[in-house]
Amino acid sequence: MSDLNALMARAEALLARLEGLLPPQLQAPDWSAAHAFRYRRRRGAAVLEPVRHAATIQLDALQEIDAQKERLVRNLAQFVAGRGANNVLLSGARGTGKSSLVKAALNAFAPQGLRLIEVDKADLVDLPDLVDLVAERSERFILFCDDLSFDEGESGYKVLKSVLDGSISQLSDNLLIVATSNRRHLLPEQMRDNLAARHDANGELHPGEAIEEKVSLSERFGLWISFYPFSQDEYLAVVAQWLAHFGLDAAAIEAARGEALVWALERGSRSGRVAWQFARDHVGRIQP
C-alpha cells in the first residue's frame, strides 16, 4: 500500500511539473479598455491586447466605394441589433479601402457595443478558443483577419473552413468573421488544378475537385463585397477629398491634379491608398 501511495505521489508531482510547462489558458482582457483587440502569442502564451491607439477613420472619409460601404453597414447594423447577419469577405484590388472600411465601420458601431478582435492567419488554429471566450459576452464581436490568403497545406485554412460552416461547434450569435483579401478564393490557383475539369454530355464544364476545394472556403462567407481599381476620375475625386481634409482650397486642389496623376502613374496604381499617400506628401511639401 505504501508503494502505491508513493507511486501516486510521484505521478501527481510529474503532472504538476508538466502543467507548469504548458502555456496558460487564454484569459479574458478588460473589455472596457478599448474597442479593438489583437490576439497574439507571447512566449507561447496566448493574449488579447487592447489596441490603445486604434484608427479613427470615419465612414464619411471613404469615397468612391459607396455601394460596398452600404452593404457592410447594413450587415453590421443587423448584427449589432441581434438580427440575422452574415460573415463577410471583402476582396479585390489592393489599396481600394477594404481594411479602412472595416475600421470605419467599427468606429461607427462601437457605441452600440461592437468590438473587434484582430487575428493573424497563423493564429487561426486557436479560433475555437476565441469563440468560447466571447460566447457569453453581451457585446457583439467582429473577428477580423486582414489581408487573408493561404498557401497549400496551412493549418489555419481547415480550422477557419470548419468554424465557418461544417463543424459540430458553430460560431456564437455574437460573433462575425470579417476578412479582407486580394484573392476571392483565398488560395492560389494553379494551371494544373484545371486539368481535372471535364465536360458532360451537354458540353457543360464541371471543375475538378482541386478547384472545388479552393472555392469552398470563400463560399462559406455569406456576404461577398468586391472592390475594383479606381478610374482616373474616381482617383482624382479621392485625392481632392484628402487634400480638402488637409485644408487646401479649391484652387490648390485643382492645381495638384497633374502631380496626382504622375504620382499614380509612377506607382502603377490608382487607389484610395495611393491618393492618401499623394495627399500627405503634397501637403507636406507645400506647407511652410
Side-chain angles (χ1 to χ4, degrees), residues 92-119:
R94 66 187 190 276
T96 47
K98 300 184 292 294
S99 302
S100 295
L101 180 54
V102 175
K103 297 169 188 174
L106 171 65
N107 292 329
F109 287 102
Q112 301 176 43
L114 187 64
R115 300 293 181 265
L116 181 145
I117 300 173
E118 184 177 25
V119 181

Side-chain angles (χ1 to χ4, degrees), residues 188-203:
E189 297 181 32
Q190 309 293 339
M191 180 66 72
R192 65 176 181 270
D193 296 335
N194 294 294
L195 297 179
R198 60 182 177 81
H199 295 83
D200 64 16
N202 298 319

Side-chain angles (χ1 to χ4, degrees), residues 144-159:
F144 179 46
C145 302
D146 195 22
D147 197 19
L148 182 64
S149 64
F150 294 99
D151 294 321
E152 299 286 352
E154 289 192 84
S155 56
Y157 170 84
K158 293 291 187 182
V159 174

Side-chain angles (χ1 to χ4, degrees), residues 222-238:
L223 179 60
W224 288 359
I225 302 179
S226 298
F227 291 71
Y228 307 97
F230 285 0
S231 68
Q232 178 172 298
D233 288 343
E234 289 171 334
Y235 167 70
L236 289 173
V238 176

